[in-house]
Amino acid sequence: MENRVRVRFAPSPTGPLHIGGVRTALYNYLFAKKNNGDFLLRIEDTDQTRFVPGAEEYIIESFKWLGLKFDEGVSIGGQYGPYKQSERKAMYKDYAFELVEKGKAYFAFDTAEELAQKRAEAEAEKKTFQYDCNTRLGLRNSLSLSEEETRRLIESGEPFVIRFKFEKDGQIEFDDLIRGHISVNSSLLDDKVLYKSDGMPTYHLANIVDDHLMKISHVIRGEEWLPSCPLHVSLYKAFGWEAPVFAHLPLILKPDGKGKLSKRDGDRLGFPVFPLEWHDPKSGEISSGYRESGYLPQAVVNMLALLGWNDGTEQELFSLQELVDKFSIERISKHGAKFDMEKAKWFNHQYLQSVSDNELAQQYIKELNDRGYTPTLEFTEKVVSLVKERCSFAKDLWQTSDYFFLRPESYAEKALKKRWKEGTGSVLTDILSRLSEIEDNNEWGEKAEEFLMKYIPEHELNMGQIMNSIRLAIVGDTKGVNMVEIFKLLGKQESIQRIQTAIERINL
Ligand code: GLU
């Protein structure tokens, strides 16, 4: 079991989950499943100031909806739990102190005011203050103070943090599966806080302690964490632990490619950036979600998988299993992927076509009932089978098929002007009397069309004009499916009735 692939998605519950985070989780999932490994959910809630109620539940519900199952973690359990960092709080302290003992970290007593002062002084010289190998001896910490003074301060209850001690002029090297070899001079790095004065670890400490204890083999996460990686690699080394393999994913960009796709872009540009609708508990603000906007979870998964990855062919539609079979980190793009709303809709259109007519009809019939119509399931299913290909979302069903349930109240003006000429009424009156003679059985639709295809040329009439006038009379517009299908589904009585009404109304 030594080399078992184990990956984790480790969100902080600070709000709704951005689709960039969903994509990170998806790539972790695909990588784990491809390698018969484990996919974990760990909640990183050590920063209590950023905790947002409901965010953890939101994350769990999002993955349920998307159909991405965790093997271990919060809400599931497992042998490496607890999987929520606030519940692991007690164990981090020992690790932080262990590093101090090993000379890899130190106690720092600087107050917020003292540090602000240092920052202001640096700014006055147009410099940026950094707590590092060049400045730390001039600050209040266990490296600059005597051992006795340090002990005295700690014993007297003086608040302290523990900072990582980057060596002067060391070279930190590691390989990233996407970024390649990375090498950083340790003198440039900030001695980050590992353990805070409130007794909580920072993200950095908790993250690597947990990855180690949970036997994480690969860390696949957003590129925003790349700058922290030299610290993480150094922490593994300081503890004497083997570091996992890292892969930092490029960002999802705004549709115009200018910068990271942000929370605000979605509602500004009219597409969701969150899997589920989010009600902000503080501001009351509502952000739209893919689920509520009518997206199918499979479409969202497929769309996100292709935002930054492809299998090297032109194939775009992949089931989750196919994604698992084909996924490889090597084929993740090194560049940011532009979010494309039209593509997202296209994916949904494709997936909607594979939902059965029966399932869609059952859904649609509820909407129809709410609108005051009570068609049979059989009829609704037929309607769905005719218009489905014109819909990207189930919510498009109504506007593409309303005329099957609703007699036209008016007629599209522009089309009317173009199609309904002087004399159209009398031609239609003649046509109507002939249509009435066709036997009313299940062949009526075909017979009606057959008749029109003969009648129109025989009378030297314009095919487009007459057929469109009939469509206008029946549908109220020039939209709609094939006329035969409309005749068939509406039936003889209803079709004739609608043409009759139009002749009367339009010729008034
Ligand atoms: N808690 C971090 C986040 O919210 C996790 C980063 C990581 O995967 O290491 O993104």
Side-chain angles (χ1 to χ4, degrees):
M1 283 285 127
E2 256 313 286
N3 296 322
R4 188 172 177 80
V5 164
R6 286 174 58 81
V7 295
R8 82 306 193 267
F9 180 56
S12 299
T14 55
L17 188 59
H18 186 279
I19 50 165
V22 177
R23 190 194 59 170
T24 298
L26 173 63
Y27 286 1
N28 273 285
Y29 173 89
L30 297 177
F31 183 73
K33 298 296 122 185
K34 165 93 189 215
N35 294 291
N36 299 316
D38 306 318
F39 174 50
L40 282 71
L41 174 64
R42 183 172 74 224
I43 296 288
E44 301 206 324
D45 57 349
T46 53
D47 188 351
Q48 292 177 332
T49 57
R50 295 180 64 214
F51 176 79
V52 173
E56 181 183 319
E57 293 73 12
Y58 176 98
I59 291 166
I60 292 167
E61 201 185 332
S62 296
F63 288 107
K64 270 200 190 128
W65 179 67
L66 289 160
L68 299 179
K69 287 202 182 74
F70 291 98
D71 301 299
E72 273 172 46
V74 169
S75 87
I76 298 142
Q79 56 168 317
Y80 298 92
Y83 293 90
K84 200 193 281 194
Q85 288 183 332
S86 55
E87 292 169 12
R88 304 168 67 80
K89 184 179 161 187
M91 68 177 80
Y92 301 115
K93 185 176 178 185
D94 289 346
Y95 286 102
F97 277 70
E98 181 185 328
L99 287 184
V100 177
E101 263 160 49
K102 287 182 161 164
K104 306 286 184 190
Y106 57 92
F107 298 109
F109 303 97
D110 318 82
T111 63
E113 294 74 37
E114 284 163 359
L115 292 175
Q117 164 91 27
K118 289 281 171 197
R119 263 183 233 114
E121 281 168 23
E123 259 167 49
E125 291 176 42
K126 303 222 175 319
K127 286 187 189 147
T128 317
F129 169 72
Q130 189 166 272
Y131 210 119
D132 60 18
C133 61
N134 298 312
T135 57
R136 63 192 172 213
L137 290 180
L139 294 147
R140 285 209 308 134
N141 53 55
S142 55
L143 301 177
S144 62
L145 304 172
S146 68
E147 225 171 285
E148 297 75 62
E149 178 63 356
T150 302
R151 198 173 315 120
R152 191 192 64 77
L153 287 172
I154 291 179
E155 278 165 12
S156 67
E158 182 89 2
F160 66 86
V161 299
I162 294 178
R163 287 181 179 270
F164 187 70
K165 183 181 162 206
F166 274 114
E167 294 306 326
K168 203 172 171 77
D169 277 331
Q171 207 59 29
I172 303 165
E173 316 249 352
F174 63 97
D175 289 301
D176 183 280
L177 289 182
I178 297 170
R179 293 315 187 95
H181 187 71
I182 292 174
S183 172
V184 186
N185 185 318
S186 62
S187 299
L188 303 172
L189 301 171
D190 187 11
D191 285 352
K192 280 265 184 291
V193 173
L194 303 176
Y195 186 76
K196 296 181 284 186
S197 54
D198 64 359
M200 275 297 225
T202 58
Y203 152 73
H204 304 291
L205 179 69
N207 184 271
I208 78 118
V209 166
D210 288 349
D211 281 348
H212 171 70
L213 296 177
M214 293 177 186
K215 296 198 164 41
I216 298 302
S217 63
H218 293 72
V219 167
I220 306 169
R221 61 184 171 192
E223 149 181 291
E224 64 273 28
W225 299 106
L226 189 60
S228 302
C229 208
L231 169 63
H232 297 179
V233 171
S234 306
L235 279 167
Y236 282 102
K237 212 169 148 203
F239 279 116
W241 297 336
E242 193 188 333
V245 176
F246 291 98
H248 287 90
L249 305 171
L251 300 171
I252 298 182
L253 305 174
K254 293 182 200 295
D256 63 7
K258 293 185 184 143
K260 182 180 164 185
L261 182 68
S262 78
K263 291 184 182 186
R264 301 265 158 231
D265 291 326
D267 289 321
R268 184 173 64 84
L269 299 170
F271 57 85
V273 288
F274 301 119
L276 316 179
E277 190 171 272
W278 168 255
H279 296 242
D280 191 275
K282 266 201 209 130
S283 64
E285 195 186 342
I286 297 176
S287 307
S288 64
Y290 279 87
R291 182 178 64 184
E292 292 72 13
S293 303
Y295 281 84
L296 295 163
Q298 302 91 321
V300 176
V301 164
N302 195 155
M303 181 267 289
L304 286 177
L306 276 270
L307 257 183
W309 173 87
N310 65 66
D311 75 339
T313 71
E314 296 292 300
Q315 186 176 342
E316 293 188 289
L317 294 171
F318 295 89
S319 66
L320 189 57
Q321 189 54 49
E322 262 180 296
L323 287 171
V324 166
D325 295 340
K326 305 222 163 133
F327 187 76
S328 73
I329 291 189
E330 293 72 46
R331 293 216 55 86
I332 292 176
S333 156
K334 291 185 173 41
H335 313 287
K338 282 188 216 163
F339 182 82
D340 181 344
M341 180 170 62
E342 289 313 313
K343 198 73 198 191
K345 280 192 196 156
W346 178 84
F347 274 109
N348 209 62
H349 175 89
Q350 299 295 320
Y351 278 87
L352 191 71
Q353 306 316 306
S354 54
V355 180
S356 75
D357 296 341
N358 179 277
E359 199 181 323
L360 268 182
Q362 298 208 28
Q363 208 178 312
Y364 188 25
I365 218 161
K366 288 191 198 124
E367 178 185 340
L368 290 167
N369 292 343
D370 289 345
R371 289 181 182 274
Y373 306 99
T374 51
T376 62
L377 184 62
E378 197 193 345
F379 181 82
T380 313
E381 231 178 285
K382 282 187 189 148
V383 169
V384 164
S385 78
L386 290 174
V387 301
K388 192 163 83 171
E389 64 178 14
R390 295 160 184 253
C391 301
S392 293
F393 301 96
K395 66 178 181 220
D396 298 340
L397 284 168
W398 173 248
Q399 59 154 3
T400 50
S401 71
D402 54 356
Y403 55 90
F404 284 112
F405 308 96
L406 183 76
R407 290 180 174 158
E409 303 243 322
S410 61
Y411 305 92
E413 224 172 284
K414 244 174 136 183
L416 202 58
K417 249 192 185 153
K418 189 165 165 211
R419 304 294 184 183
W420 201 284
K421 306 285 178 201
E422 247 190 82
T424 301
S426 53
V427 172
L428 289 195
T429 308
D430 189 41
I431 287 178
L432 206 54
S433 70
R434 311 287 201 93
L435 287 177
S436 316
E437 286 162 16
I438 299 174
E439 214 183 318
D440 191 0
N441 58 24
N442 54 13
E443 276 174 25
W444 122 267
E446 281 87 358
K447 290 272 185 298
E449 187 180 54
E450 218 173 274
F451 156 73
L452 288 166
M453 291 304 124
K454 254 170 91 196
Y455 179 96
I456 298 170
E458 263 174 25
H459 290 76
E460 294 180 354
L461 295 164
N462 177 327
M463 183 67 82
Q465 191 228 323
I466 299 300
M467 289 308 283
N468 272 300
S469 302
I470 294 175
R471 184 180 288 277
L472 256 175
I474 294 183
V475 174
D477 205 337
T478 44
K479 69 175 187 183
V481 301
N482 208 318
M483 244 1 261
V484 198
E485 303 298 345
I486 302 179
F487 282 144
K488 272 163 66 176
L489 212 53
L490 286 182
K492 181 178 169 184
Q493 293 302 329
E494 182 66 19
S495 304
I496 285 184
Q497 174 68 58
R498 289 191 188 190
I499 300 173
Q500 182 69 52
T501 309
I503 296 170
E504 283 162 15
R505 280 189 186 154
I506 299 169
N507 276 355
L508 273 181

